[in-house]
PDB file of all heavy atoms in Angstrom:
ATOM      1  N   PRO A  21      85.124 112.658  68.683  1.00  0.00           N
ATOM      2  CA  PRO A  21      85.858 113.923  68.622  1.00  0.00           C
ATOM      3  C   PRO A  21      85.415 114.966  69.653  1.00  0.00           C
ATOM      4  O   PRO A  21      86.219 115.812  70.055  1.00  0.00           O
ATOM      5  CB  PRO A  21      85.600 114.422  67.198  1.00  0.00           C
ATOM      6  CG  PRO A  21      84.408 113.671  66.718  1.00  0.00           C
ATOM      7  CD  PRO A  21      84.351 112.395  67.475  1.00  0.00           C
ATOM      8  N   ASP A  22      84.163 114.905  70.092  1.00  0.00           N
ATOM      9  CA  ASP A  22      83.654 115.867  71.070  1.00  0.00           C
ATOM     10  C   ASP A  22      84.099 115.457  72.467  1.00  0.00           C
ATOM     11  O   ASP A  22      83.608 114.485  73.027  1.00  0.00           O
ATOM     12  CB  ASP A  22      82.137 115.941  70.994  1.00  0.00           C
ATOM     13  CG  ASP A  22      81.533 116.954  71.951  1.00  0.00           C
ATOM     14  OD1 ASP A  22      82.277 117.603  72.718  1.00  0.00           O
ATOM     15  OD2 ASP A  22      80.295 117.098  71.922  1.00  0.00           O
ATOM     16  N   LYS A  23      85.013 116.210  73.029  1.00  0.00           N
ATOM     17  CA  LYS A  23      85.590 115.852  74.321  1.00  0.00           C
ATOM     18  C   LYS A  23      84.640 116.106  75.493  1.00  0.00           C
ATOM     19  O   LYS A  23      84.972 115.783  76.626  1.00  0.00           O
ATOM     20  CB  LYS A  23      86.929 116.554  74.507  1.00  0.00           C
ATOM     21  CG  LYS A  23      87.957 116.024  73.534  1.00  0.00           C
ATOM     22  CD  LYS A  23      89.315 116.617  73.718  1.00  0.00           C
ATOM     23  CE  LYS A  23      90.275 115.976  72.720  1.00  0.00           C
ATOM     24  NZ  LYS A  23      91.615 116.501  72.838  1.00  0.00           N
ATOM     25  N   ALA A  24      83.456 116.627  75.210  1.00  0.00           N
ATOM     26  CA  ALA A  24      82.432 116.788  76.242  1.00  0.00           C
ATOM     27  C   ALA A  24      81.480 115.588  76.272  1.00  0.00           C
ATOM     28  O   ALA A  24      80.597 115.522  77.137  1.00  0.00           O
ATOM     29  CB  ALA A  24      81.646 118.075  76.019  1.00  0.00           C
ATOM     30  N   THR A  25      81.657 114.645  75.360  1.00  0.00           N
ATOM     31  CA  THR A  25      80.826 113.443  75.335  1.00  0.00           C
ATOM     32  C   THR A  25      81.082 112.615  76.587  1.00  0.00           C
ATOM     33  O   THR A  25      82.226 112.412  76.978  1.00  0.00           O
ATOM     34  CB  THR A  25      81.145 112.595  74.085  1.00  0.00           C
ATOM     35  OG1 THR A  25      80.907 113.388  72.921  1.00  0.00           O
ATOM     36  CG2 THR A  25      80.296 111.325  74.035  1.00  0.00           C
ATOM     37  N   GLU A  26      80.008 112.139  77.197  1.00  0.00           N
ATOM     38  CA  GLU A  26      80.160 111.297  78.376  1.00  0.00           C
ATOM     39  C   GLU A  26      80.580 109.897  77.945  1.00  0.00           C
ATOM     40  O   GLU A  26      79.965 109.287  77.068  1.00  0.00           O
ATOM     41  CB  GLU A  26      78.842 111.230  79.152  1.00  0.00           C
ATOM     42  CG  GLU A  26      78.970 110.487  80.450  1.00  0.00           C
ATOM     43  CD  GLU A  26      77.741 110.628  81.333  1.00  0.00           C
ATOM     44  OE1 GLU A  26      77.027 111.644  81.236  1.00  0.00           O
ATOM     45  OE2 GLU A  26      77.504 109.701  82.129  1.00  0.00           O
ATOM     46  N   LEU A  27      81.650 109.396  78.573  1.00  0.00           N
ATOM     47  CA  LEU A  27      82.203 108.083  78.263  1.00  0.00           C
ATOM     48  C   LEU A  27      82.163 107.200  79.499  1.00  0.00           C
ATOM     49  O   LEU A  27      82.634 107.605  80.564  1.00  0.00           O
ATOM     50  CB  LEU A  27      83.664 108.215  77.806  1.00  0.00           C
ATOM     51  CG  LEU A  27      83.970 109.214  76.692  1.00  0.00           C
ATOM     52  CD1 LEU A  27      85.470 109.308  76.474  1.00  0.00           C
ATOM     53  CD2 LEU A  27      83.247 108.827  75.413  1.00  0.00           C
ATOM     54  N   ILE A  28      81.612 106.009  79.356  1.00  0.00           N
ATOM     55  CA  ILE A  28      81.650 105.012  80.428  1.00  0.00           C
ATOM     56  C   ILE A  28      82.498 103.857  79.906  1.00  0.00           C
ATOM     57  O   ILE A  28      82.147 103.216  78.918  1.00  0.00           O
ATOM     58  CB  ILE A  28      80.243 104.529  80.812  1.00  0.00           C
ATOM     59  CG1 ILE A  28      79.400 105.701  81.300  1.00  0.00           C
ATOM     60  CG2 ILE A  28      80.337 103.435  81.886  1.00  0.00           C
ATOM     61  CD1 ILE A  28      77.935 105.362  81.557  1.00  0.00           C
ATOM     62  N   LEU A  29      83.625 103.630  80.558  1.00  0.00           N
ATOM     63  CA  LEU A  29      84.588 102.624  80.131  1.00  0.00           C
ATOM     64  C   LEU A  29      84.453 101.371  80.982  1.00  0.00           C
ATOM     65  O   LEU A  29      84.241 101.473  82.189  1.00  0.00           O
ATOM     66  CB  LEU A  29      86.005 103.168  80.292  1.00  0.00           C
ATOM     67  CG  LEU A  29      86.281 104.561  79.742  1.00  0.00           C
ATOM     68  CD1 LEU A  29      87.662 105.026  80.170  1.00  0.00           C
ATOM     69  CD2 LEU A  29      86.144 104.579  78.230  1.00  0.00           C
ATOM     70  N   TYR A  30      84.608 100.216  80.353  1.00  0.00           N
ATOM     71  CA  TYR A  30      84.640  98.987  81.148  1.00  0.00           C
ATOM     72  C   TYR A  30      85.690  98.028  80.608  1.00  0.00           C
ATOM     73  O   TYR A  30      86.035  98.041  79.433  1.00  0.00           O
ATOM     74  CB  TYR A  30      83.272  98.315  81.245  1.00  0.00           C
ATOM     75  CG  TYR A  30      82.790  97.601  80.005  1.00  0.00           C
ATOM     76  CD1 TYR A  30      83.120  96.258  79.778  1.00  0.00           C
ATOM     77  CD2 TYR A  30      81.986  98.234  79.070  1.00  0.00           C
ATOM     78  CE1 TYR A  30      82.659  95.588  78.656  1.00  0.00           C
ATOM     79  CE2 TYR A  30      81.522  97.566  77.945  1.00  0.00           C
ATOM     80  CZ  TYR A  30      81.867  96.251  77.746  1.00  0.00           C
ATOM     81  OH  TYR A  30      81.408  95.589  76.623  1.00  0.00           O
ATOM     82  N   CYS A  31      86.198  97.228  81.519  1.00  0.00           N
ATOM     83  CA  CYS A  31      87.129  96.145  81.193  1.00  0.00           C
ATOM     84  C   CYS A  31      86.586  94.902  81.885  1.00  0.00           C
ATOM     85  O   CYS A  31      85.383  94.791  82.077  1.00  0.00           O
ATOM     86  CB  CYS A  31      88.554  96.497  81.631  1.00  0.00           C
ATOM     87  SG  CYS A  31      88.707  96.803  83.407  1.00  0.00           S
ATOM     88  N   GLY A  32      87.446  93.994  82.286  1.00  0.00           N
ATOM     89  CA  GLY A  32      86.975  92.786  82.946  1.00  0.00           C
ATOM     90  C   GLY A  32      86.496  93.019  84.356  1.00  0.00           C
ATOM     91  O   GLY A  32      85.446  92.535  84.772  1.00  0.00           O
ATOM     92  N   GLY A  33      87.265  93.804  85.124  1.00  0.00           N
ATOM     93  CA  GLY A  33      86.931  94.008  86.528  1.00  0.00           C
ATOM     94  C   GLY A  33      87.016  95.434  87.022  1.00  0.00           C
ATOM     95  O   GLY A  33      86.777  95.695  88.193  1.00  0.00           O
ATOM     96  N   GLY A  34      87.393  96.360  86.159  1.00  0.00           N
ATOM     97  CA  GLY A  34      87.437  97.770  86.549  1.00  0.00           C
ATOM     98  C   GLY A  34      88.826  98.343  86.748  1.00  0.00           C
ATOM     99  O   GLY A  34      88.962  99.510  87.098  1.00  0.00           O
ATOM    100  N   TYR A  35      89.855  97.547  86.508  1.00  0.00           N
ATOM    101  CA  TYR A  35      91.221  98.036  86.705  1.00  0.00           C
ATOM    102  C   TYR A  35      91.764  98.731  85.453  1.00  0.00           C
ATOM    103  O   TYR A  35      92.207  99.878  85.505  1.00  0.00           O
ATOM    104  CB  TYR A  35      92.154  96.877  87.087  1.00  0.00           C
ATOM    105  CG  TYR A  35      91.788  96.206  88.378  1.00  0.00           C
ATOM    106  CD1 TYR A  35      91.354  94.884  88.388  1.00  0.00           C
ATOM    107  CD2 TYR A  35      91.873  96.874  89.590  1.00  0.00           C
ATOM    108  CE1 TYR A  35      91.014  94.255  89.577  1.00  0.00           C
ATOM    109  CE2 TYR A  35      91.535  96.247  90.779  1.00  0.00           C
ATOM    110  CZ  TYR A  35      91.111  94.938  90.764  1.00  0.00           C
ATOM    111  OH  TYR A  35      90.780  94.320  91.933  1.00  0.00           O
ATOM    112  N   ARG A  36      91.732  98.037  84.325  1.00  0.00           N
ATOM    113  CA  ARG A  36      92.233  98.634  83.086  1.00  0.00           C
ATOM    114  C   ARG A  36      91.427  99.861  82.700  1.00  0.00           C
ATOM    115  O   ARG A  36      91.981 100.851  82.211  1.00  0.00           O
ATOM    116  CB  ARG A  36      92.210  97.607  81.948  1.00  0.00           C
ATOM    117  CG  ARG A  36      93.215  96.487  82.127  1.00  0.00           C
ATOM    118  CD  ARG A  36      93.053  95.402  81.092  1.00  0.00           C
ATOM    119  NE  ARG A  36      91.843  94.621  81.363  1.00  0.00           N
ATOM    120  CZ  ARG A  36      91.373  93.661  80.577  1.00  0.00           C
ATOM    121  NH1 ARG A  36      91.993  93.356  79.451  1.00  0.00           N
ATOM    122  NH2 ARG A  36      90.279  92.986  80.913  1.00  0.00           N
ATOM    123  N   SER A  37      90.122  99.820  82.920  1.00  0.00           N
ATOM    124  CA  SER A  37      89.288 100.977  82.567  1.00  0.00           C
ATOM    125  C   SER A  37      89.635 102.184  83.426  1.00  0.00           C
ATOM    126  O   SER A  37      89.533 103.324  82.971  1.00  0.00           O
ATOM    127  CB  SER A  37      87.806 100.639  82.665  1.00  0.00           C
ATOM    128  OG  SER A  37      87.449 100.220  83.959  1.00  0.00           O
ATOM    129  N   ALA A  38      90.068 101.966  84.649  1.00  0.00           N
ATOM    130  CA  ALA A  38      90.507 103.084  85.505  1.00  0.00           C
ATOM    131  C   ALA A  38      91.751 103.732  84.916  1.00  0.00           C
ATOM    132  O   ALA A  38      91.858 104.973  84.868  1.00  0.00           O
ATOM    133  CB  ALA A  38      90.779 102.594  86.925  1.00  0.00           C
ATOM    134  N   LEU A  39      92.687 102.923  84.439  1.00  0.00           N
ATOM    135  CA  LEU A  39      93.905 103.463  83.834  1.00  0.00           C
ATOM    136  C   LEU A  39      93.581 104.237  82.557  1.00  0.00           C
ATOM    137  O   LEU A  39      94.110 105.325  82.326  1.00  0.00           O
ATOM    138  CB  LEU A  39      94.899 102.342  83.548  1.00  0.00           C
ATOM    139  CG  LEU A  39      95.427 101.596  84.770  1.00  0.00           C
ATOM    140  CD1 LEU A  39      96.259 100.397  84.341  1.00  0.00           C
ATOM    141  CD2 LEU A  39      96.223 102.516  85.681  1.00  0.00           C
ATOM    142  N   VAL A  40      92.686 103.696  81.745  1.00  0.00           N
ATOM    143  CA  VAL A  40      92.284 104.377  80.518  1.00  0.00           C
ATOM    144  C   VAL A  40      91.568 105.687  80.847  1.00  0.00           C
ATOM    145  O   VAL A  40      91.802 106.708  80.202  1.00  0.00           O
ATOM    146  CB  VAL A  40      91.400 103.473  79.632  1.00  0.00           C
ATOM    147  CG1 VAL A  40      90.836 104.255  78.451  1.00  0.00           C
ATOM    148  CG2 VAL A  40      92.182 102.265  79.144  1.00  0.00           C
ATOM    149  N   ALA A  41      90.711 105.674  81.848  1.00  0.00           N
ATOM    150  CA  ALA A  41      89.985 106.893  82.233  1.00  0.00           C
ATOM    151  C   ALA A  41      90.959 108.008  82.579  1.00  0.00           C
ATOM    152  O   ALA A  41      90.771 109.162  82.168  1.00  0.00           O
ATOM    153  CB  ALA A  41      89.053 106.607  83.411  1.00  0.00           C
ATOM    154  N   ALA A  42      91.996 107.686  83.314  1.00  0.00           N
ATOM    155  CA  ALA A  42      92.995 108.699  83.676  1.00  0.00           C
ATOM    156  C   ALA A  42      93.675 109.253  82.431  1.00  0.00           C
ATOM    157  O   ALA A  42      93.865 110.472  82.301  1.00  0.00           O
ATOM    158  CB  ALA A  42      94.021 108.108  84.637  1.00  0.00           C
ATOM    159  N   ASN A  43      94.018 108.386  81.492  1.00  0.00           N
ATOM    160  CA  ASN A  43      94.666 108.841  80.263  1.00  0.00           C
ATOM    161  C   ASN A  43      93.748 109.725  79.432  1.00  0.00           C
ATOM    162  O   ASN A  43      94.177 110.749  78.894  1.00  0.00           O
ATOM    163  CB  ASN A  43      95.134 107.650  79.429  1.00  0.00           C
ATOM    164  CG  ASN A  43      96.354 106.990  80.006  1.00  0.00           C
ATOM    165  OD1 ASN A  43      97.063 107.555  80.828  1.00  0.00           O
ATOM    166  ND2 ASN A  43      96.611 105.763  79.578  1.00  0.00           N
ATOM    167  N   LEU A  44      92.473 109.344  79.311  1.00  0.00           N
ATOM    168  CA  LEU A  44      91.545 110.147  78.510  1.00  0.00           C
ATOM    169  C   LEU A  44      91.302 111.509  79.155  1.00  0.00           C
ATOM    170  O   LEU A  44      91.157 112.510  78.445  1.00  0.00           O
ATOM    171  CB  LEU A  44      90.239 109.399  78.287  1.00  0.00           C
ATOM    172  CG  LEU A  44      90.346 108.112  77.456  1.00  0.00           C
ATOM    173  CD1 LEU A  44      88.960 107.537  77.193  1.00  0.00           C
ATOM    174  CD2 LEU A  44      91.098 108.332  76.164  1.00  0.00           C
ATOM    175  N   GLN A  45      91.291 111.559  80.451  1.00  0.00           N
ATOM    176  CA  GLN A  45      91.178 112.858  81.136  1.00  0.00           C
ATOM    177  C   GLN A  45      92.385 113.724  80.794  1.00  0.00           C
ATOM    178  O   GLN A  45      92.234 114.922  80.530  1.00  0.00           O
ATOM    179  CB  GLN A  45      91.071 112.665  82.648  1.00  0.00           C
ATOM    180  CG  GLN A  45      89.725 112.158  83.081  1.00  0.00           C
ATOM    181  CD  GLN A  45      89.631 111.895  84.574  1.00  0.00           C
ATOM    182  OE1 GLN A  45      88.562 111.594  85.052  1.00  0.00           O
ATOM    183  NE2 GLN A  45      90.707 111.986  85.324  1.00  0.00           N
TER     184      GLN A  45
END
């Protein structure tokens, strides 16, 4: 719930996690 929490996302190779990172931002 704390939107200041640091999040490190990973997928298989870094593509899907990039898309998710943009959405979470």
